[in-house]
Amino acid sequence: RAFLDSVDIDLKQPCEYLPSADMIESYNIKIDTPDNPLKATISSDSVWGILRGLESLSQLVYSSTETGVAYQINATEIVDFPRFSYRGLMMDSARHYMPLKTIKKMTDLMAQNKMNVLHWHLTDDASFPYESTLFPNISRYGSFQPFSHIYTANDVREVIEYARMRGIRVIPEFDSPDHTQSWGRGQPKLLTECYDDNGVLKVPDEYGAIMPIREENYVFLQQFFGEIFNTFPDPFVHLGGDEVSYYCWQRHPEIKAFMAANGWGTDFTKLEQYYFDRLTAATQEITQNQMRYIVWQELLDLNITLPTGTIVEVWKGAKEELNFLDELARITKYGYQTILSSPWYLNYISYGLDWEKYYLAEPLDFDGSDEQKKLVIGGEVAMWSEYVDSVSVIPRTWPRASTVAERLWSDRSVNDTTLAALRLEEHRCRLLKRGFMVDPSNGVNFCEQEWDM
Amino acid sequence: VWPKPQQQTYSETFFVLRPTMFQFQVVGERCDIIDEAVQRYYQLIFYPGAAASAPLAYPPTLSVIQDNPQF
């Protein structure tokens, strides 16, 4: 019809500086529509919508062997908006260190799949790569290598800025009170010394979860999370709370005395409640009630109450008897906002066609009222890194995560795997062409431009 | 488009894009996010693999791309 030499970018409201939980991501694209003849426009009320629209536009451009034209685009109209506001990817940089370059590539891929939350699982038992300004000894003694395998304040700023430019929030996770072995080396007396059944102190380097009855620990946690709140601009911080072992708590004489004094008997969930009450009170105080929380589902499973506005992440039930849909029904009944990750643990690998099960997992497919369903705000892909590092994280994650991205962005009715298969294959080839080493999705196939071709 | 948009209509009528002539025109509000994004997407549309190939700095400026005989 003509050459298309320009596309108008029409942002109708002033730019926001940071992506947020309630950011608007809707956009329109008009290319030679009756009300926009011979012109192309991307419009949105929000800069985040413009970003999503640019991504769509970039995918509309194609080359044709029929016409011999390298770049062409059809007359098109798109009206688009996300189905869920939280479309996350959890990246674990504690079991294996992920270089900044890898984190940025993952962020690029997220943006190219319209995902909007990078949940950065920064620390765990294995290592503490986050270099704290206030407590540098933790990464000095708790990282794999204190000069190379850490994230400095500059590194963290770089990741946040890179993500901001792509409309992606960065939510850090500092999982506690357990999964904290790496914290203890640089923060003495933080963890619970472990006694055996006879009340004898075990070898000096054996510790359990954070010692919940030591006052100084709450001073530390308040200062530490105060720093986190000032470092990461998103008000949400993931507090973890999963898989808390009571083994060392149960055997520590001071804790036993504390339990008895409070009349808690042997109910250690009361002690865990006490820990989270103190932690959230301390962080609310230092952040002037601005910090918001995400936690793993166990806290709700243990009937631990959490501050209003806390988001609960459902991660169990993909294999166990308890179905994640039942868990979603249970947690939303309590009135908590919820995100789902159970069906999307992509670190579990298999040979063959496995993306269909990710594609078909439906977060709203549980028995519950409309009010309960509104509390499900989205979901996230999880990529734990025990057996994944920067060599394999990208091909293992993509394009399988793309199927989750479509589940969380597109209409619920978009769930036909046959229709999706060819589109996914095309998308995989697109990502490959863009320079990302992503796995094949459908078995036998080819891309016009193969890797390293 | 992946993920599939909520509504999309299109016709067989097509336009041709010329990398040397093409530009994004910011007609509404603008800021650093938009300025960087249009540069990034110009590159993704016309030189999709450039980001991955050394020795170009990432993201390269338009002039770096246009002046580079490799392209």
Side-chain angles (χ1 to χ4, degrees):
Chain A
R1 184 160 158 82
F3 290 117
L4 185 69
D5 287 337
S6 72
V7 172
D8 287 352
I9 305 296
D10 187 8
L11 172 57
K12 295 173 187 300
Q13 300 286 334
C15 282
E16 290 169 71
Y17 185 75
L18 281 168
S20 64
D22 52 5
M23 64 177 150
I24 294 167
E25 296 172 279
S26 56
Y27 68 91
N28 289 358
I29 292 179
K30 290 182 177 183
I31 301 165
D32 190 34
T33 56
D35 59 341
N36 202 38
L38 292 168
K39 286 187 70 181
T41 308
I42 302 173
S43 60
S44 175
D45 285 335
S46 142
V47 65
W48 319 117
I50 295 290
L51 292 180
R52 307 301 174 237
L54 278 164
E55 177 54 43
S56 290
L57 182 100
S58 73
Q59 297 188 16
L60 292 173
V61 178
Y62 64 101
S63 59
S64 167
T65 46
E66 263 178 50
T67 59
V69 170
Y71 305 102
Q72 61 189 65
I73 190 166
N74 282 34
T76 304
E77 179 162 13
I78 289 178
V79 178
D80 203 9
F81 51 87
R83 182 177 166 217
F84 291 106
S85 61
Y86 189 111
R87 304 179 307 280
L89 183 144
M90 191 233 52
M91 197 170 174
D92 175 8
S93 64
R95 276 57 177 265
H96 278 99
Y97 180 80
M98 298 289 174
L100 277 195
K101 208 196 274 187
T102 303
I103 297 176
K104 287 181 179 177
K105 280 184 187 171
M106 290 288 276
T107 309
D108 274 325
L109 283 157
M110 288 176 68
Q112 291 171 25
N113 287 273
K114 298 193 175 76
M115 296 174 92
N116 65 1
V117 182
L118 174 61
H119 166 184
W120 192 357
H121 186 88
L122 262 162
T123 70
D124 213 291
D125 287 330
S127 78
F128 191 106
Y130 171 78
E131 187 180 53
S132 164
T133 309
L134 293 176
F135 304 98
N137 274 348
I138 310 182
S139 60
R140 188 170 296 153
Y141 298 110
S143 64
F144 291 129
Q145 288 282 355
F147 300 110
S148 54
H149 287 51
I150 56 165
Y151 301 107
T152 65
N154 270 343
D155 294 339
V156 170
R157 266 196 294 273
E158 214 175 307
V159 169
I160 293 167
E161 178 65 1
Y162 199 84
R164 181 181 80 87
M165 284 292 165
R166 287 153 183 78
I168 294 171
R169 303 159 62 198
V170 179
I171 297 182
E173 179 182 352
F174 290 92
D175 195 354
S176 79
D178 219 328
H179 286 275
T180 48
Q181 291 295 299
S182 64
W183 303 39
R185 288 166 222 143
Q187 188 63 24
K189 297 193 183 296
L190 178 68
L191 303 180
T192 307
E193 300 90 346
C194 216
Y195 289 76
D196 67 14
D197 289 338
N198 301 316
V200 177
L201 192 60
K202 286 195 164 187
V203 282
D205 61 349
E206 189 165 338
Y207 296 95
I210 286 178
M211 175 62 165
I213 64 165
R214 192 175 285 142
E215 282 305 310
E216 297 89 322
N217 285 346
Y218 294 104
V219 176
F220 158 74
L221 288 167
Q222 184 176 54
Q223 291 174 350
F224 178 74
F225 278 101
E227 176 188 321
I228 296 309
F229 188 76
N230 289 328
T231 302
F232 291 86
D234 203 280
F236 281 89
V237 173
H238 204 305
L239 294 183
D242 60 319
E243 300 178 318
V244 179
S245 165
Y246 296 153
Y247 183 89
C248 299
W249 285 3
Q250 283 166 331
R251 286 160 180 78
H252 196 288
E254 287 172 41
I255 292 179
K256 285 201 278 191
F258 185 82
M259 294 284 289
N262 282 285
W264 294 341
T266 56
D267 183 1
F268 281 84
T269 62
K270 293 261 189 338
L271 186 60
E272 197 174 336
Q273 174 79 65
Y274 173 80
Y275 172 79
F276 276 101
D277 284 347
R278 293 292 308 271
L279 176 62
T280 51
T283 52
Q284 287 303 296
E285 187 187 344
I286 201 160
T287 65
Q288 296 168 328
N289 299 316
Q290 298 298 305
M291 186 182 271
R292 304 277 304 276
Y293 310 106
I294 305 178
V295 296
W296 297 108
Q297 71 174 82
E298 277 99 319
L299 297 188
L300 266 285
D301 294 343
L302 297 170
N303 292 319
I304 286 169
T305 55
L306 297 157
T308 310
T310 298
I311 296 173
V312 178
E313 179 161 11
V314 172
W315 70 279
K316 291 185 170 184
K319 291 177 178 170
E320 296 86 348
E321 236 168 59
L322 176 71
N323 189 285
F324 63 81
L325 295 172
D326 297 334
E327 187 74 10
L328 284 172
R330 205 174 73 78
I331 286 171
T332 52
K333 226 175 215 173
Y334 286 120
Y336 288 102
Q337 285 193 323
T338 309
I339 48 179
L340 176 67
S341 66
S342 310
W344 299 314
Y345 268 46
L346 304 188
N347 48 295
Y348 291 110
I349 59 169
S350 57
Y351 185 80
L353 199 74
D354 64 359
W355 62 266
E356 292 181 337
K357 63 175 185 260
Y358 307 128
Y359 192 65
L360 292 172
E362 170 51 54
L364 297 187
D365 214 5
F366 63 91
D367 289 330
S369 65
D370 287 347
E371 287 309 306
Q372 279 177 271
K373 295 194 177 183
K374 279 182 198 154
L375 290 169
V376 179
I377 58 168
E380 70 181 18
V381 163
M383 180 49 70
W384 299 101
S385 70
E386 286 92 340
Y387 299 95
V388 178
D389 67 3
S390 52
V391 169
S392 51
V393 68
I394 287 173
R396 195 162 299 182
T397 308
W398 308 96
R400 295 194 295 162
S402 303
T403 64
V404 184
E406 180 149 291
R407 177 61 43 244
L408 296 173
W409 176 280
S410 306
D411 189 75
R412 184 175 177 169
S413 63
V414 179
N415 59 5
D416 185 323
T417 52
T418 308
L419 292 176
L422 285 176
R423 292 177 48 248
L424 181 61
E425 200 162 304
E426 183 187 16
H427 188 54
R428 183 259 168 172
C429 289
R430 178 186 296 128
L431 299 178
L432 199 69
K433 191 174 177 182
R434 290 178 174 186
F436 299 102
M437 210 192 306
V438 294
D439 258 353
S441 57
N442 291 325
V444 181
N445 70 2
F446 77 100
C447 293
E448 282 183 10
Q449 193 174 316
E450 303 290 357
W451 185 258
D452 251 359
M453 198 171 181
Chain B
V1 173
W2 191 285
K4 197 172 181 60
Q6 302 289 341
Q7 292 174 38
Q8 180 177 359
T9 54
Y10 65 96
S11 75
E12 294 302 313
T13 306
F14 71 86
F15 292 77
V16 171
L17 282 68
R18 298 174 291 185
T20 50
M21 303 297 287
F22 183 85
Q23 56 182 324
F24 288 109
Q25 281 191 334
V26 182
V27 298
E29 301 276 343
R30 75 185 304 159
C31 58
D32 58 344
I33 298 175
I34 298 232
D35 290 342
E36 269 203 29
V38 297
Q39 190 168 305
R40 194 165 66 243
Y41 277 102
Y42 175 90
Q43 183 190 12
L44 267 183
I45 290 168
F46 297 114
Y47 309 107
S53 66
L56 282 181
Y58 182 71
T61 61
L62 290 186
S63 62
V64 167
I65 293 171
Q66 287 163 351
D67 295 340
N68 189 332
Q70 277 186 351
F71 294 111

